[in-house]
């Protein structure tokens, strides 16, 4: 495998995760670069404060929190990195950009919607100029990819490919070895096999890549898409059908769009197929999901919302989504009584037996999962922590925002929001007051980014 160091780092800024994903796929296939993503102007400014090696910013203008104009003004007051404005209209329509081309000769404007070539030309022109300003420019850094092969990250292939392609790995300069043959119809199985090897990219031949990209564009641009599960998946039992019959209005209250619903459903199919190898735990889950009650509803809704938070935070990949889903399914494994499932604090209990069950259920649930293949420390930790709170008033350990890991913070906040909506019959008019009440407690430590992201999603 060829490993290239010191890649040019480019930041993409857009409030639509679908556009960010599409840009990432396109640019990584064409250039040898490193991508950093931000969901709005404020987040982009925070990224710039901690990343002094970003060389290009490609940003939309109109975003719900801090526009591209504010980001641009921040940029020219700091490092004045080459800025590509990609939005509707023309640059002259935005007064924040009155001296756009004078501020930096490498600045470029692209009108949305833009085709591939316009984007490639803009990035390529800046990369070429940046190379020429170096004393010893590297031919690899930011250079165009070989035209016969296009690279794609594994999780994009898993998420968007609706057919099998021939896949290759790069083993040396201009040397590729085929690891998947489309005729075998086992592409996603092979991708999963390579997970432990941390393969950064697979390569497609140009024609296959163009077909993959076109379908990805159609999928991301569609308002509603149809599930197309691979033929080798056999998860069809009624319990799973019931679990995914969550009311559409409940998903709408959490701002979960059709595209993310499809992504979650495909991920669930893969996960449940893998879990069938452990018959005991699989039967427990099947039995658990067959009940149409609070415990099932809040588990399934947490899968959708926590994975959406991961996506918006740019923390979403095959492993993080998988571990979050394990935690959502099994965190209340030891709870049989819905009444106890709704307990948020030990001070709500007076019966000693109930107190023991609730206090010990996170550790016992985690213990059950020790024999489940594919689960890792993230899922165990999420389950152990799922009743902790940012101010340290949770249980069983009284951990706080500064000591809880980010993945646990995502689950805990998702759990809190979902339960609030369930308690209020999904009447979203109460959300603004709830989020305001959470400020000052939830926007600190490792919860800060997660809370700000959830607030942006729910108040958009």
């Amino acid at each position: 495998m060829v490993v290239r160091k010191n890649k040019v780092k480019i930041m993409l800024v857009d409030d639509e995760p679908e556009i960010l994903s599409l840009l990432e796929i396109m640019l990584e296939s064409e250039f040898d670069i490193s991508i950093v993503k931000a969901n709005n102007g404020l987040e982009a400014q925070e990224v710039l404060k901690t990343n002094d090696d970003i060389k290009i910013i490609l940003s939309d203008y109109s975003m719900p929190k801090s526009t591209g104009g504010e980001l641009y003004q921040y940029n020219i007051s700091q490092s004045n990195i080459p800025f590509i404005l990609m939005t509707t209209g023309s640059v002259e329509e935005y007064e924040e950009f009155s001296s756009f081309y004078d501020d930096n000769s490498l600045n470029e404007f692209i009108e949305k919607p833009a085709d591939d070539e316009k984007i490639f030309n803009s990035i390529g022109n800046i990369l070429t100029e940046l190379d020429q300003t170096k004393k010893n420019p590297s031919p690899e850094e930011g250079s165009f990819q070989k035209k016969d092969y296009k690279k794609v990250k594994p999780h994009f292939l898993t998420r968007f490919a609706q057919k099998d392609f021939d896949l290759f790995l790069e083993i040396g300069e201009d040397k590729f070895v085929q690891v998947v043959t489309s005729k075998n119809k086992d592409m996603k199985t092979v991708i999963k096999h390579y997970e432990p090897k941390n393969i950064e990219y697979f390569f497609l031949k140009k024609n296959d890549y163009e077909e993959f990209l076109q379908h990805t564009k159609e999928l991301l641009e569609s308002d509603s898409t149809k599930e197309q599960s691979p033929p080798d998946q056999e998860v069809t039992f009624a319990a799973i059908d019931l679990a995914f019959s969550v009311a559409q209005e409940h998903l709408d209250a959490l701002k979960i769009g059709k595209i993310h619903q499809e992504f979650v459903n495909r991920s669930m199919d893969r996960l449940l197929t893998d879990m069938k190898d452990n018959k005991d735990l699989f039967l427990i889950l099947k039995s658990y999901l067959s009940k149409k009650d609070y415990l099932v509803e809040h588990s399934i809704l947490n899968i959708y919302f926590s994975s959406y938070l991961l996506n918006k935070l740019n923390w979403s990949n095959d492993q993080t989504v998988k571990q979050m889903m394990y935690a959502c399914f099994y965190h209340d494994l030891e709870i049989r009584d819905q009444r106890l499932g709704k307990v948020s604090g030990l001070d709500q209990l007076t019966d000693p037996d109930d107190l023991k069950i609730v206090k010990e259920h996170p550790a016992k649930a985690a213990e059950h999962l020790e024999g489940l293949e594919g689960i890792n420390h993230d899922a165990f930790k999420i389950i152990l922590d799922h009743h902790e709170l940012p101010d340290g008033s949770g249980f069983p350990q009284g951990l706080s925002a500064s000591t809880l890991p980010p993945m646990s913070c995502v689950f805990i906040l998702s759990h809190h929001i979902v339960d609030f909506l369930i308690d209020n019959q999904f009447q979203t008019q109460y959300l603004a007051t709830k989020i305001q009440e959470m400020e000052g407690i939830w926007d600190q430590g490792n919860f800060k980014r997660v809370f700000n992201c959830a607030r942006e999603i729910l108040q958009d």
Side-chain angles (χ1 to χ4, degrees):
M1 186 191 313
V2 175
V3 179
R4 297 183 175 90
K5 299 180 180 179
N6 301 319
K7 296 180 181 180
V8 169
K9 190 178 288 188
I10 297 177
M11 181 165 68
L12 308 178
V13 191
D14 201 296
D15 63 319
E16 297 182 58
E18 296 82 9
I19 291 177
L20 287 177
S21 293
L22 191 60
L23 285 171
E24 183 177 3
I25 293 171
M26 289 165 49
L27 294 178
E28 286 190 328
S29 75
E30 191 72 12
F31 303 101
D32 193 21
I33 55 177
S34 176
I35 299 290
V36 179
K37 295 182 288 186
N39 294 296
N40 56 59
L42 285 180
E43 185 177 311
Q45 291 178 43
E46 291 300 315
V47 172
L48 289 172
K49 290 175 184 177
T50 56
N51 288 264
D52 58 4
D53 54 348
I54 290 175
K55 303 300 183 186
I56 302 173
I57 301 171
L58 190 156
S59 175
D60 190 9
Y61 173 82
S62 180
M63 290 173 280
K65 185 184 289 185
S66 190
T67 67
E70 291 179 40
L71 171 61
Y72 178 72
Q73 293 299 321
Y74 174 84
N75 175 52
I76 61 175
S77 71
Q78 301 296 319
S79 302
N80 199 15
I81 298 165
F83 197 101
I84 299 175
L85 176 64
M86 188 168 76
T87 193
T88 56
S90 64
V91 70
E92 290 78 14
E93 295 177 24
Y94 306 99
E95 61 181 34
E96 299 97 322
F97 298 87
S98 57
S99 57
F100 185 65
Y101 297 109
D102 294 330
D103 291 331
N104 190 319
S105 62
L106 298 182
N107 286 348
E108 299 230 13
F109 174 79
I110 307 175
E111 184 176 6
K112 266 188 175 181
D115 62 30
D116 303 4
E117 289 305 314
K118 287 181 181 177
I119 298 171
F120 292 160
N121 286 339
S122 293
I123 296 289
N125 290 340
I126 296 175
L127 290 175
T128 299
E129 290 298 321
L130 290 176
D131 256 0
Q132 291 175 357
T133 64
K134 296 180 182 180
K135 293 180 180 178
N136 296 298
S138 165
E140 290 179 351
E141 191 171 327
S143 60
F144 282 90
Q145 297 299 305
K146 302 293 188 297
K147 294 301 181 183
D148 292 339
Y149 294 91
K150 298 283 190 176
K151 61 179 182 177
V152 181
K153 285 182 175 175
H155 71 270
F156 284 131
L157 287 165
T158 302
R159 180 177 177 184
F160 297 123
Q162 297 299 299
K163 60 173 283 187
D164 290 79
F165 295 104
D166 294 338
L167 293 187
F168 300 81
L169 289 176
E170 188 178 18
I171 58 173
E173 287 297 326
D174 298 320
K175 294 181 180 179
F176 296 85
V177 59
Q178 187 168 351
V179 293
V180 173
T181 301
S182 60
K183 293 180 181 178
N184 292 341
K185 299 189 180 300
D186 61 352
M187 183 182 78
K188 293 184 180 180
T189 301
V190 174
I191 292 174
K192 180 176 175 57
H193 170 76
Y194 275 95
E195 275 183 9
K197 301 181 185 297
N198 295 317
I199 299 297
E200 187 176 9
Y201 300 104
F202 287 96
F203 287 78
L204 296 168
K205 286 189 174 178
K206 185 178 179 182
N207 288 343
D208 282 346
Y209 169 79
E210 289 174 351
E211 182 179 350
F212 164 75
L213 183 64
Q214 181 58 38
H215 183 84
T216 300
K217 288 179 179 178
E218 293 169 358
L219 183 65
L220 290 173
E221 291 168 359
S222 173
D223 290 331
S224 60
T225 56
K226 294 183 178 180
E227 175 75 3
Q228 297 183 26
S229 299
D232 59 336
Q233 295 181 356
E234 301 174 355
V235 183
T236 58
F237 58 81
I240 298 304
D241 294 336
L242 175 64
F244 290 111
S245 65
V246 176
Q248 185 62 47
E249 58 264 30
H250 297 173
L251 294 173
D252 291 342
L254 290 164
K255 303 297 180 75
I256 308 297
K258 295 291 186 183
I259 290 174
H260 189 71
Q261 289 175 42
E262 293 300 319
F263 166 64
V264 169
N265 294 345
R266 286 194 298 273
S267 299
M268 280 296 92
D269 277 343
R270 291 193 297 273
L271 186 69
L272 291 163
T273 299
D274 293 344
M275 286 166 55
K276 289 178 76 174
D277 292 337
N278 189 309
K279 292 183 179 179
D280 292 338
L281 283 174
F282 187 72
L283 289 174
I284 289 172
L285 181 63
K286 181 177 178 180
S287 174
Y288 175 76
L289 292 176
S290 66
K291 302 169 186 175
K292 194 172 183 180
D293 59 14
Y294 158 78
L295 290 171
V296 171
E297 183 178 36
H298 101 129
S299 294
I300 300 303
L301 287 173
N302 265 304
I303 287 175
Y304 285 105
F305 192 57
S306 62
S307 61
Y308 192 46
L309 282 171
L310 290 176
N311 189 16
K312 294 287 282 185
L313 288 161
N314 297 322
W315 296 348
S316 178
N317 57 52
D318 288 347
Q319 274 303 311
T320 57
V321 171
K322 178 188 292 186
Q323 301 311 313
M324 190 64 71
M325 288 180 173
Y326 276 132
C328 290
F329 270 142
Y330 285 113
H331 68 284
D332 278 342
L333 190 64
E334 288 292 302
I335 300 292
R336 303 287 186 267
D337 186 337
Q338 287 192 77
R339 175 181 58 87
L340 297 183
K342 295 181 179 181
V343 169
S344 58
L346 297 179
D347 58 351
Q348 299 171 10
L349 299 167
T350 56
D351 182 273
D353 291 335
D354 288 347
L355 183 63
K356 180 179 173 64
I357 290 171
V358 173
K359 188 173 182 178
E360 295 180 356
H361 85 273
K364 287 190 174 181
E367 187 178 324
H368 272 297
L369 298 184
E370 287 182 355
L372 185 59
E373 185 176 349
I375 198 168
N376 69 22
H377 176 72
D378 285 339
F380 280 109
K381 186 65 173 147
I382 293 168
I383 292 171
L384 290 171
D385 293 343
H386 77 272
H387 278 294
E388 305 289 354
L389 291 169
D391 61 358
S393 65
F395 66 92
Q397 297 186 71
L399 302 177
S400 65
S402 60
T403 53
L404 286 161
M407 288 281 284
S408 293
C409 294
V410 169
F411 182 91
I412 293 166
L413 187 137
S414 173
H415 191 285
H416 193 75
I417 293 293
V418 165
D419 279 4
F420 172 80
L421 285 170
I422 290 174
D423 289 343
N424 288 274
Q425 290 77 50
F426 292 88
Q427 297 181 60
T428 55
Q429 65 265 34
Y430 301 119
L431 265 176
T433 301
K434 174 62 177 176
I435 291 172
Q436 189 174 10
E437 290 172 355
M438 295 170 71
E439 291 176 353
I441 298 174
W442 291 80
D443 54 352
Q444 58 182 306
N446 290 331
F447 277 93
K448 185 172 183 178
R449 276 194 70 190
V450 182
F451 175 70
N452 288 338
C453 181
R455 177 171 55 189
E456 181 182 339
I457 290 170
L458 296 170
Q459 292 188 334
D460 183 11

